[in-house]
Amino acid sequence: MEVKWLEDWSQTSAWQNETAYAYFCVKASEQVAYQVTTSNLAKDEHQLFYVASTQAHIGRGTVWGEIPAVPKETYQDLLRPVDKETVFTETSQLFCLATTFKKAGEYQRTIVLKCQNNPEIVFSLNQQVLPLSLPERKAFSLELWQYPFAVARYYQIPREELFQMKHLEKIQESLRPYQEAGGETIVATIVHDPWNHQTYDAYPSLIQWKKQADQFVFDFTWFDRYVTLNLEMGIQQKIKCFSLLPWADKIAYYDEKNEQQIRTYPVGSKKWQDLWRQFLTAFTQHLEGKNWFDRTYIAIDERPAEEIQAVIDLLAEFPHQKTGERLKISCAMDYQSFDEQLLDQIDDLAIGQSHLGQREHFQKMCQRRREKGLFTSIYNCVGDYPAMFLASHPLESRWLPWYYLSYESDGFLRWALDAWPKDPLQDGSHWYWESGDPFLIYPHQKNEQAAYLSVRFQQLIRGLNDVNKYLYLKNKNARLVKPLTSDLNELVSPPGATNTYGARVAQSTKNEEQLAKMLQQLTRHLQRLTQQYLKEQEENDETKSINSGYTK
């Protein structure tokens, strides 16, 4: 049997409390049963995974609910835990070893292959952990939208048990990897299906609307339980509420017979204003009572300027009773279509990857907004390249945070953490988008208790960690990282293309080589600057020690 590490870890290092992922491949000339274990690693220091596969189509569709009749391929994307009982028989199997060390030092990670009727195969990988730690709150923000009703459907939780103990436990399993990766935004629906049911599962409102005569009554029970769970887990910077501008302008509510009614309320109309004034009166009072007002945003996804302005004007009528501030606004949009006066009223702005424009112009916009206390991120979605689809090369996920950082954005947004299709463990296809677009984690099987990371998400985490290391060093010593900053300003996105079936893909196989080369250069440059920073810190400490001796 042959074992090969997929990366030369002598060229890289980890920081304290950072989870490092090392992939290795086991190949055999013939089918043989074997088991894989680790040695000299504490239980809380490591986790061993095998890379499992799912299938999915390679195109895009146009009909709601109908998977397009295009070819399918198999993708190795699931990181599933290995236990002592797992037996492998594949002639080629990919594994991933995740390690987290709390203290700096040199560590040896040892893997043992136990084959039937054959000697054990032992191989090791040395890991250097540097005496540096990233702050608990990351400098580069991560926002992934969450789908608790997809979780309920997959794990067969009935409506009467929604947002009770079992459902909250399953939601927590999805939220955990998001929180550990630095996720800090809660996404909540305040109307039924604000995206007009584009996902496999409907997305009901976390706030229940009931109409009695001409008045609406609002039940905040689900909203409160979901937000509280997030806050308790450490996801607590922003509560984004979708939306005063739902797609198709539809509002659903239950009438006095407890039957659901769906009506259209054109934006800006008198009945739209009357409805939302009733809601905002109750909502703002509730938020103030929970002490959540200051972190709550009314979120808007890709709507025209005049409709956004109508929301801003309406929110001004409902300021916080003590501070006088209105609820904040969050928008995902093409910023080049809007004037600065409107943009300056948007507290949290996310710009699509395909609408960034000239890097220098975008950098100046981000800097101007930061000076005003406003936040600017970049989002990646359907139709983009590079991307995070199942067909995307994993290096794309790792490279994108660097690319967004080169535009001096404040963070990264992606629309879906866990908007699963019917059974993503078997098939990741969706009827509209490139396969894998709606999710970055997988549900687990019945005998397990943690969501499966995708390889795409794991690579994204690595890219985010590297970007946050750069920002940490920049904050400590901007002069030191100036050469890497210059390199970032020259970063160029590889060209994409549209395949025969409508999906966005790499223009050629050379793109993978280009991404790998850029990432290698960025990683090694960051490694050298980190070592230089530690050396300068050591020299400064020695100087201080000597000067202290003279003073005495």
PDB file of all heavy atoms in Angstrom, residues 404-416:
ATOM      1  N   TYR A 404     -11.068  38.800  -1.999  1.00  0.00           N
ATOM      2  CA  TYR A 404     -11.942  39.819  -1.422  1.00  0.00           C
ATOM      3  C   TYR A 404     -11.154  40.777  -0.541  1.00  0.00           C
ATOM      4  O   TYR A 404     -11.451  41.974  -0.495  1.00  0.00           O
ATOM      5  CB  TYR A 404     -13.065  39.157  -0.619  1.00  0.00           C
ATOM      6  CG  TYR A 404     -13.949  38.245  -1.427  1.00  0.00           C
ATOM      7  CD1 TYR A 404     -14.562  37.138  -0.851  1.00  0.00           C
ATOM      8  CD2 TYR A 404     -14.163  38.467  -2.780  1.00  0.00           C
ATOM      9  CE1 TYR A 404     -15.374  36.295  -1.589  1.00  0.00           C
ATOM     10  CE2 TYR A 404     -14.967  37.629  -3.529  1.00  0.00           C
ATOM     11  CZ  TYR A 404     -15.565  36.543  -2.937  1.00  0.00           C
ATOM     12  OH  TYR A 404     -16.368  35.699  -3.668  1.00  0.00           O
ATOM     13  N   LEU A 405     -10.163  40.263   0.160  1.00  0.00           N
ATOM     14  CA  LEU A 405      -9.308  41.119   0.970  1.00  0.00           C
ATOM     15  C   LEU A 405      -8.553  42.115   0.093  1.00  0.00           C
ATOM     16  O   LEU A 405      -8.331  43.260   0.504  1.00  0.00           O
ATOM     17  CB  LEU A 405      -8.315  40.272   1.764  1.00  0.00           C
ATOM     18  CG  LEU A 405      -7.316  41.051   2.627  1.00  0.00           C
ATOM     19  CD1 LEU A 405      -8.029  41.708   3.800  1.00  0.00           C
ATOM     20  CD2 LEU A 405      -6.204  40.132   3.127  1.00  0.00           C
ATOM     21  N   SER A 406      -8.174  41.690  -1.107  1.00  0.00           N
ATOM     22  CA  SER A 406      -7.420  42.588  -1.988  1.00  0.00           C
ATOM     23  C   SER A 406      -8.240  43.812  -2.382  1.00  0.00           C
ATOM     24  O   SER A 406      -7.685  44.836  -2.785  1.00  0.00           O
ATOM     25  CB  SER A 406      -6.954  41.837  -3.246  1.00  0.00           C
ATOM     26  OG  SER A 406      -8.013  41.641  -4.166  1.00  0.00           O
ATOM     27  N   TYR A 407      -9.557  43.724  -2.260  1.00  0.00           N
ATOM     28  CA  TYR A 407     -10.431  44.870  -2.520  1.00  0.00           C
ATOM     29  C   TYR A 407     -10.694  45.681  -1.246  1.00  0.00           C
ATOM     30  O   TYR A 407     -11.481  46.619  -1.266  1.00  0.00           O
ATOM     31  CB  TYR A 407     -11.757  44.396  -3.117  1.00  0.00           C
ATOM     32  CG  TYR A 407     -11.671  44.100  -4.604  1.00  0.00           C
ATOM     33  CD1 TYR A 407     -11.111  42.919  -5.074  1.00  0.00           C
ATOM     34  CD2 TYR A 407     -12.136  45.009  -5.542  1.00  0.00           C
ATOM     35  CE1 TYR A 407     -11.015  42.644  -6.428  1.00  0.00           C
ATOM     36  CE2 TYR A 407     -12.053  44.754  -6.907  1.00  0.00           C
ATOM     37  CZ  TYR A 407     -11.482  43.559  -7.338  1.00  0.00           C
ATOM     38  OH  TYR A 407     -11.387  43.306  -8.689  1.00  0.00           O
ATOM     39  N   GLU A 408     -10.051  45.260  -0.151  1.00  0.00           N
ATOM     40  CA  GLU A 408     -10.149  45.935   1.154  1.00  0.00           C
ATOM     41  C   GLU A 408     -11.566  45.926   1.700  1.00  0.00           C
ATOM     42  O   GLU A 408     -12.000  46.853   2.388  1.00  0.00           O
ATOM     43  CB  GLU A 408      -9.583  47.352   1.087  1.00  0.00           C
ATOM     44  CG  GLU A 408      -8.095  47.378   0.758  1.00  0.00           C
ATOM     45  CD  GLU A 408      -7.469  48.761   0.858  1.00  0.00           C
ATOM     46  OE1 GLU A 408      -8.143  49.700   1.341  1.00  0.00           O
ATOM     47  OE2 GLU A 408      -6.307  48.907   0.453  1.00  0.00           O
ATOM     48  N   SER A 409     -12.311  44.855   1.402  1.00  0.00           N
ATOM     49  CA  SER A 409     -13.634  44.699   1.993  1.00  0.00           C
ATOM     50  C   SER A 409     -13.492  44.298   3.455  1.00  0.00           C
ATOM     51  O   SER A 409     -12.418  43.886   3.906  1.00  0.00           O
ATOM     52  CB  SER A 409     -14.434  43.650   1.225  1.00  0.00           C
ATOM     53  OG  SER A 409     -13.891  42.360   1.435  1.00  0.00           O
ATOM     54  N   ASP A 410     -14.585  44.382   4.192  1.00  0.00           N
ATOM     55  CA  ASP A 410     -14.574  44.058   5.620  1.00  0.00           C
ATOM     56  C   ASP A 410     -14.931  42.600   5.904  1.00  0.00           C
ATOM     57  O   ASP A 410     -14.824  42.156   7.045  1.00  0.00           O
ATOM     58  CB  ASP A 410     -15.566  44.956   6.371  1.00  0.00           C
ATOM     59  CG  ASP A 410     -15.206  46.430   6.239  1.00  0.00           C
ATOM     60  OD1 ASP A 410     -14.022  46.763   6.400  1.00  0.00           O
ATOM     61  OD2 ASP A 410     -16.115  47.232   5.953  1.00  0.00           O
ATOM     62  N   GLY A 411     -15.367  41.881   4.861  1.00  0.00           N
ATOM     63  CA  GLY A 411     -15.752  40.505   5.121  1.00  0.00           C
ATOM     64  C   GLY A 411     -16.323  39.816   3.898  1.00  0.00           C
ATOM     65  O   GLY A 411     -16.326  40.365   2.789  1.00  0.00           O
ATOM     66  N   PHE A 412     -16.837  38.623   4.140  1.00  0.00           N
ATOM     67  CA  PHE A 412     -17.340  37.753   3.083  1.00  0.00           C
ATOM     68  C   PHE A 412     -18.724  37.246   3.455  1.00  0.00           C
ATOM     69  O   PHE A 412     -18.972  36.849   4.595  1.00  0.00           O
ATOM     70  CB  PHE A 412     -16.385  36.572   2.887  1.00  0.00           C
ATOM     71  CG  PHE A 412     -16.952  35.450   2.069  1.00  0.00           C
ATOM     72  CD1 PHE A 412     -17.269  35.632   0.738  1.00  0.00           C
ATOM     73  CD2 PHE A 412     -17.169  34.197   2.631  1.00  0.00           C
ATOM     74  CE1 PHE A 412     -17.804  34.595  -0.021  1.00  0.00           C
ATOM     75  CE2 PHE A 412     -17.685  33.150   1.879  1.00  0.00           C
ATOM     76  CZ  PHE A 412     -18.009  33.357   0.552  1.00  0.00           C
ATOM     77  N   LEU A 413     -19.634  37.261   2.482  1.00  0.00           N
ATOM     78  CA  LEU A 413     -20.995  36.765   2.680  1.00  0.00           C
ATOM     79  C   LEU A 413     -21.288  35.705   1.625  1.00  0.00           C
ATOM     80  O   LEU A 413     -20.933  35.869   0.452  1.00  0.00           O
ATOM     81  CB  LEU A 413     -21.997  37.916   2.556  1.00  0.00           C
ATOM     82  CG  LEU A 413     -23.489  37.606   2.723  1.00  0.00           C
ATOM     83  CD1 LEU A 413     -24.210  38.861   3.220  1.00  0.00           C
ATOM     84  CD2 LEU A 413     -24.161  37.140   1.424  1.00  0.00           C
ATOM     85  N   ARG A 414     -21.931  34.628   2.073  1.00  0.00           N
ATOM     86  CA  ARG A 414     -22.466  33.658   1.116  1.00  0.00           C
ATOM     87  C   ARG A 414     -23.862  33.280   1.568  1.00  0.00           C
ATOM     88  O   ARG A 414     -24.118  33.154   2.760  1.00  0.00           O
ATOM     89  CB  ARG A 414     -21.579  32.413   1.000  1.00  0.00           C
ATOM     90  CG  ARG A 414     -21.854  31.716  -0.322  1.00  0.00           C
ATOM     91  CD  ARG A 414     -20.766  30.722  -0.720  1.00  0.00           C
ATOM     92  NE  ARG A 414     -20.793  30.551  -2.153  1.00  0.00           N
ATOM     93  CZ  ARG A 414     -21.770  29.925  -2.808  1.00  0.00           C
ATOM     94  NH1 ARG A 414     -22.789  29.408  -2.144  1.00  0.00           N
ATOM     95  NH2 ARG A 414     -21.737  29.824  -4.112  1.00  0.00           N
ATOM     96  N   TRP A 415     -24.761  33.090   0.626  1.00  0.00           N
ATOM     97  CA  TRP A 415     -26.176  33.051   0.975  1.00  0.00           C
ATOM     98  C   TRP A 415     -26.621  31.766   1.659  1.00  0.00           C
ATOM     99  O   TRP A 415     -27.714  31.737   2.215  1.00  0.00           O
ATOM    100  CB  TRP A 415     -27.027  33.322  -0.263  1.00  0.00           C
ATOM    101  CG  TRP A 415     -27.125  32.187  -1.231  1.00  0.00           C
ATOM    102  CD1 TRP A 415     -26.269  31.907  -2.246  1.00  0.00           C
ATOM    103  CD2 TRP A 415     -28.140  31.197  -1.278  1.00  0.00           C
ATOM    104  NE1 TRP A 415     -26.694  30.793  -2.928  1.00  0.00           N
ATOM    105  CE2 TRP A 415     -27.846  30.337  -2.359  1.00  0.00           C
ATOM    106  CE3 TRP A 415     -29.283  30.942  -0.524  1.00  0.00           C
ATOM    107  CZ2 TRP A 415     -28.632  29.251  -2.689  1.00  0.00           C
ATOM    108  CZ3 TRP A 415     -30.075  29.851  -0.855  1.00  0.00           C
ATOM    109  CH2 TRP A 415     -29.745  29.014  -1.938  1.00  0.00           C
ATOM    110  N   ALA A 416     -25.849  30.700   1.637  1.00  0.00           N
ATOM    111  CA  ALA A 416     -26.439  29.490   2.195  1.00  0.00           C
ATOM    112  C   ALA A 416     -25.427  28.609   2.900  1.00  0.00           C
ATOM    113  O   ALA A 416     -24.454  28.165   2.300  1.00  0.00           O
ATOM    114  CB  ALA A 416     -27.141  28.696   1.097  1.00  0.00           C
TER     115      ALA A 416
END
